[in-house]
Amino acid sequence: MRSKPILRNMTPYKPGKQTEDVKKEYGLSRIVKLASNENPFGFSEKVADYISNHKAPLNIYPDGYTTKLRTALAEKLNISEDQLIFGNGTDEVVQLIGRAYLYPGANTVMATPTFPQYKHNALVEGAEVKEIPTVRGYHDLPKMLETIDENTNVVWLCSPNNPTGALIPPDEFYAFMENCPSDVLVVLDEAYFEYVEEEQRLNSLETIHRYENLIVLRTFSKAYGLAGLRIGYGVANQSLIPSLDVVRGPFNTSSIAQNAAILALEDDEFLETSISRNRTIKKSFEKSLDSIGWHYFDSQTNFLLISTPISGDDTFQYLLKNGFIVRPGEGLGAPNTIRLTIGDETDMEELQELLYTLDRKISEGLEL
């Protein structure tokens, strides 16, 4: 069968180890998964009650226009309903952008390391990928601007960046947008927007009318804790949305996900509590890393990218056999690091002790 030639040199997304498999392999009774930046505090009780008590008509297709959620979100964000595009997670919105704007002969500019699906989808569409290394985890926006040429169709900005956690400062973002050609689509991926400290937040949605070539991506998977329901969205000038709707499947978000997202939007208390706990726990954990001299990148998210004195793969294996699943940086384009999600208080205290022990064993040349 004749598939796209590029697919022969690509591999499918490889999910992390599943908890039951790890338990069986290492003889463990408990596993703490800190690999996918999920919310360790769960999700809104309003959503839990809905899922437990609502009998969804599963024989009926969902609302292809996402009407109720569209109305609720537009009101919450103070935008027009026709500025929204919804996806099966922001992963799908990234895919839609690739399908609509990238093709052989076009190129796309992005940081490295950054969210790998930007590159993955660009290559599938046959576009050239231009990667600009980050500087201490931050986007090198001047260099990215220099790299844009007449064939550049899309620029990807991930802020805070995954996997480094670094935020693009508002003044640098504005300078970039003012100098970026108006016919180049700029994708500002704000999957971790809710975790950013208020005083450092870019009010990106207010800039959409100013920059008609900007689309902002956000999700219900992270701070809202709905990763298992897969729903995210993009906000853009009305002129950009029709092209994305053309390549979108007609029923791409489920009824349950749409209704759950509406309820999650209403529960400000859950959201604020989750964010506050994350910040407190993260700061405490950062102090523990300081005490053993392990460097970590600035992070405005619910995860940390940590430099390790041995390879990220070896650190991953050590933690894995002790019941913690993290992400080794080698697979993220950041060798000799691990990326770990901030868990709850108890889990992070236990992880802290494991890292103390690991650091001591490395210093004394002991077997891991």
Side-chain angles (χ1 to χ4, degrees):
M1 304 298 287
R2 293 185 288 273
S3 65
K4 291 181 177 181
I6 187 65
L7 301 185
R8 299 170 199 156
N9 301 317
M10 299 177 68
T11 56
Y13 174 78
K14 185 178 180 181
K17 283 181 172 286
Q18 299 302 300
T19 55
E20 292 306 313
D21 294 336
V22 175
K23 284 181 182 179
K24 185 181 297 184
E25 182 177 354
Y26 293 97
L28 300 168
S29 59
R30 174 176 173 268
I31 294 293
V32 179
K33 182 170 177 266
L34 301 177
S36 301
N37 305 335
E38 297 145 332
N39 189 334
F41 313 119
F43 48 89
S44 168
E45 282 297 324
K46 293 183 178 183
V47 175
D49 290 344
Y50 162 73
I51 292 175
S52 298
N53 300 317
H54 181 71
K55 294 183 179 179
L58 299 181
N59 58 315
I60 304 298
Y61 284 110
D63 174 9
Y65 188 64
T66 327
T67 306
K68 292 181 179 179
L69 175 57
R70 182 181 298 272
T71 299
L73 191 57
E75 182 177 344
K76 184 89 171 181
L77 300 178
N78 193 29
I79 58 173
S80 300
E81 293 185 14
D82 56 1
Q83 290 182 266
L84 286 160
I85 181 83
F86 291 92
N88 187 3
T90 48
D91 283 356
E92 187 188 23
V93 184
V94 169
Q95 183 182 52
L96 297 179
I97 292 168
R99 291 184 68 187
Y101 291 97
L102 296 176
Y103 44 82
N107 71 60
T108 182
V109 176
M110 63 192 69
T112 184
T114 195
F115 185 51
Q117 289 304 104
Y118 309 149
K119 181 177 182 178
H120 181 92
N121 284 290
L123 292 175
V124 169
E125 300 301 334
E128 178 188 1
V129 174
K130 297 186 175 185
E131 297 178 283
I132 307 303
T134 58
V135 179
R136 299 183 305 280
Y138 288 84
H139 284 59
D140 186 348
L141 294 183
K143 185 65 175 178
M144 293 178 76
L145 271 175
E146 290 177 14
T147 306
I148 294 172
D149 61 26
E150 65 275 9
N151 295 318
T152 303
N153 278 16
V154 182
V155 175
W156 304 88
L157 305 179
C158 188
S159 182
N161 188 37
N162 180 9
T164 66
L167 184 73
I168 296 175
D171 58 337
E172 293 185 19
F173 170 77
Y174 291 127
F176 179 88
M177 292 302 299
E178 289 295 329
N179 290 282
C180 182
S182 60
D183 61 348
V184 174
L185 178 63
V186 178
V187 184
L188 179 62
D189 188 346
E190 294 187 324
Y192 299 91
F193 171 81
E194 290 82 7
Y195 288 106
V196 178
E197 294 175 7
E198 292 274 354
E199 61 274 16
Q200 297 197 50
R201 281 184 184 172
L202 166 71
N203 197 338
S204 55
L205 300 186
E206 287 192 355
T207 68
I208 286 173
H209 292 297
R210 182 175 170 185
Y211 305 116
E212 294 187 4
N213 59 328
L214 174 67
I215 182 168
V216 177
L217 308 187
R218 293 185 185 172
T219 183
F220 287 94
S221 295
K222 304 303 181 183
Y224 286 102
L226 303 185
L229 292 179
R230 310 305 301 125
I231 188 158
Y233 61 94
V235 185
N237 187 276
Q238 292 93 330
S239 63
L240 288 178
I241 300 300
S243 296
L244 299 177
D245 265 330
V246 168
V247 297
R248 178 181 64 84
F251 305 110
N252 63 326
T253 61
S254 72
S255 300
I256 294 175
Q258 292 179 29
N259 292 331
I262 293 170
L263 294 170
L265 276 177
E266 297 172 355
D267 197 346
D268 291 333
E269 182 179 355
F270 169 79
L271 187 66
E272 291 168 5
T273 300
S274 290
I275 293 168
S276 177
R277 286 181 70 184
N278 173 79
R279 287 177 183 166
T280 300
I281 297 168
K282 183 170 69 173
K283 287 179 181 177
S284 176
F285 189 72
E286 287 173 343
K287 289 181 180 178
S288 74
L289 294 173
D290 290 337
S291 71
I292 57 175
W294 284 29
H295 171 265
Y296 50 88
F297 290 76
D298 295 336
S299 175
Q300 286 284 329
T301 65
N302 66 336
F303 64 82
L304 286 173
L305 184 68
I306 303 168
S307 298
T308 51
I310 54 177
S311 76
D313 285 332
D314 288 342
T315 306
F316 162 78
Q317 287 295 337
Y318 169 81
L319 294 176
L320 187 65
K321 70 181 183 182
N322 284 282
F324 282 79
I325 304 176
V326 300
R327 285 292 298 273
E330 277 74 7
L332 299 171
N336 299 319
T337 66
I338 55 170
R339 191 197 67 190
L340 59 86
T341 311
I342 302 300
D344 67 22
E345 292 85 352
T346 301
D347 291 339
M348 296 307 288
E349 288 173 5
E350 184 178 340
L351 179 60
Q352 177 179 309
E353 293 303 317
L354 280 174
L355 292 184
Y356 285 160
T357 302
L358 174 59
D359 186 69
R360 179 180 58 81
K361 286 184 173 183
I362 293 171
S363 298
E364 297 177 5
L366 300 176
E367 183 179 349
L368 304 183

